[in-house]
Amino acid sequence: MYADIIIDITHEKLDKIFQYRIPSQLEGMLKVGTEVVVPFGRSNKETRGYVVGFSESTEYDTARMKEILKVAEKSVAIEAKLVALAAWMKEYYGGTMIQALKTVLPIKKEEKVREKRRLRLLLDEEEGKRQLDIYLHKNQKARARLLAALLEQPEQDYDLMIRKLNVTRSVVRALEEQKVLALESEKTYRNPIHYRKREQKKYVHTKEQIHAMERFREDYRAGVRDTYLLYGVTGSGKTEVYMEMIAEVLRQGKQVIVLIPEIALTYQTVMRFYSRFGDRVSVLNSRMSQGERYDQIERVKAEEVDVMIGPRSALFTPFSNLGLIVIDEEQEGAYKSEQVPRYHARETAIRRAEMEGASVVLGSATPSLEAFYACQCGKYQMLKLTERAGNTHLPQVYITDMREELKRGNRSILGDRLKEMMRERLQKKEQIMLFLNRRGYAGFVSCRACGYVVKCPHCDVSLSAHRGGKMVCHYCGYEMPSVSRCPSCGSSYIGGFRAGTQQIEDLVKREFPEARVLRMDMDTTRTKEGHEQILESFASEEADVLIGTQMIVKGHDFPNVTLVGILAADMSLYADDYRSGERTFQLLTQAAGRAGRGNRPGEVVIQSYNPEHYSIQMAAKQDYEGFYEEEMRYRELMGYPPVSQLLAVLMTGADEEQLELAAEYLKKYVSHIDRNRQIQIIGPARPYVGRVNDVYRLVLYLKCEEYQVLMETKNQMERYIEINRGFASLRIQFDFNPMNIF
Ligand code: ADP
Ligand code: ZN
Ligand code: ZN
């Protein structure tokens, strides 16, 4: 047996794995993750490394292969645990060990350490004023400006000061020489949040909140570690419950990871944690530079942080004594990685918690079918919050059948009921949110005479009409001018079939000229802070109407919103995807949940062309369990997750013929190794987007009741692909129980 060893796990070039011989005295003592000492390099320097795998054969000259010296003493346990987690991920989701390690280990990019420099006044006030007079007298304006500023505040940030006061480096140097000030530097951790203390509300917890907290606390104190689903309707106060649970875990000297979907990771949310736990809280998000993120990891290792809040990747925070992982909005698609290994944060969190003796709390108003099913099977414990906290109630929901509107001659995007209710709210100075379900479909250009849809020549997706007479591909950025006649039949009945957020904004402004309107979508939130700014200004009631896509559904609490309009509610039902019913229900319920968060009751209007669908009916009733039953019937009938397991094999390549051939071979191979006929094979199919940037895509779907069987099949496919040259120029990825179709 030979051991695969990685040497420097924080290094960017993690790609190198070295093989070592295992000496007889170490046989049976090594595991994946064990830290060992090996001779390394030409000088055979004793170096620490981690075991990341074992192999029975090697391509190297075994006579010249070096031997592991010993197991490292005082191993940094946390890295060993993360390496072991990576090994599990590789096995469970596919891909290579290196890909898994890169996902799990914080990698240090060679980046200049940003020094924080500070100017400090060395004179006392009196001396300072005297010196200021001298500068003014000599008409040395820049020096005077700088000194005056320091007299006001004797210690200030160097970079900020020279920018704000418009002084040069040489002015600073002059004052330094005159011993007026000192330029000091310190290596600082870049702290992304500037902690502003806010008044913390004290609530009388509801009975249900107390029950949930106590169930957890009793278990935790008794040493029971488990997975819990906190299933609470929108506005039921789940965050309060998380915070009590976190407090309990911190009291025991353990650390906590809180995962929040990126989109909901707003200033407001993070502040709630800061004002409760102070600056032992840290945040990771994708808008931070790699350096900033690495700094937060350094703070964790220096034990300056006990609570890490972040999106999916924060799951791998190297806490050495992890006690709890909270996953808020656990149903979110963002918890599934789009890169190999295509892991799900929920499953991976549960695995990490098992390995390290921690608990997991999943929270949602609309749990994933996976999580609810796991409760029904007794795998997770369910904690329920059925009522809203405080004095607020769930909103009243109405459904408008848009086909009826059309029959009555209303061709507008806004149905009569919604329009009327908007008018009333505007008069009462209450706020309105209009939610447009899904942007991708919104702008597509089609011919009403023949059905032709204008597509991107490279990507095989429909182009979206943008303002300024152009059509744009959202996959590759291809643009072309809008057409006025159908390229296929010549009819002039061609155009944007359904409205996007921009058209809705125009319409609302025309219909209600007095209304102040904000729009939030991909176009208005391009900048780093755009998203946050729009939400902040709506929260401070600088606008009456907020129009947006999915983005407006999460995060902020707007107490003055009493009306939510959901336009084209059924749009997401048409996606060719087994989760579309679930996604539609979740979106509608979450959107409806935005109404009536304050003292006044809320109302919701759902506009749909397909109002009979159970996803829409149940969302209107806010009946999750009713939805769950209907949806499970469908999943059972079709053999979809969570009842059955689904493995998507995504294959891409530049040569279409070769790709098709390879897919057929792979399919034959699977049916050949599936001796017991446990696997159903679907495809190869051209996915919804069949070509992106001139690269072709095909998918094979494998269905089976047992995850284990699919996993072993995946392992065999990986070996088959590796040894057959026909696959060499193709890219093949595995995706278990995919969240999205490709
Ligand atoms: P959820 O995450 O379940 O939608 P939040 O935790 O955001 O709900 O809570 C919704 C609102 O209710 C927040 O403004 C929160 O501060 C408030 N809240 C939470 N618990 C209570 C309580 N026991 N009494 C009154 N208000 C509460
Ligand atoms: Zn046509
Ligand atoms: Zn394109």
Side-chain angles (χ1 to χ4, degrees), residues 456-461 463 473-478 691-693:
C456 171
H458 305 291
C459 300
D460 207 16
V461 295
L463 296 178
C473 169
H474 284 154
Y475 278 77
C476 72
Y478 173 85
R691 182 159 54 121
V692 173
N693 258 330

Side-chain angles (χ1 to χ4, degrees), residues 610-636:
N610 192 1
E612 300 85 16
H613 194 281
Y614 62 87
S615 290
I616 291 171
Q617 288 291 328
M618 297 297 181
K621 283 191 257 172
Q622 315 222 7
D623 179 2
Y624 175 81
E625 283 164 60
F627 163 76
Y628 174 81
E629 266 169 36
E630 289 280 348
E631 183 69 15
M632 280 302 277
R633 252 199 287 281
Y634 156 71
R635 302 279 178 101
E636 250 160 62

Side-chain angles (χ1 to χ4, degrees), residues 624-682:
Y624 175 81
E625 283 164 60
F627 163 76
Y628 174 81
E629 266 169 36
E630 289 280 348
E631 183 69 15
M632 280 302 277
R633 252 199 287 281
Y634 156 71
R635 302 279 178 101
E636 250 160 62
L637 190 70
M638 303 300 294
Y640 283 133
V643 187
S644 198
Q645 310 293 325
L646 187 65
L647 169 60
V649 185
L650 173 65
M651 312 177 65
T652 55
D655 183 337
E656 192 173 15
E657 246 171 75
Q658 192 195 9
L659 181 70
E660 278 168 6
L661 201 63
E664 286 302 335
Y665 268 104
L666 200 56
K667 181 175 179 169
K668 276 206 197 95
Y669 176 70
V670 173
S671 51
H672 171 70
I673 58 173
D674 176 32
R675 295 256 156 69
N676 303 333
R677 298 272 159 256
Q678 288 171 287
I679 300 174
Q680 187 191 344
I681 312 168
I682 305 155

Side-chain angles (χ1 to χ4, degrees), residues 699-726:
V699 197
L700 267 180
Y701 286 103
L702 313 188
K703 265 192 220 171
C704 178
E705 281 181 19
E706 301 289 325
Y707 195 100
Q708 193 66 27
V709 172
L710 284 183
M711 202 170 91
E712 278 156 19
T713 307
K714 178 263 303 171
N715 289 343
Q716 282 177 291
M717 276 192 278
E718 279 183 326
R719 278 193 290 275
Y720 181 70
I721 289 161
E722 202 179 300
I723 57 172
N724 278 284
R725 271 197 286 134

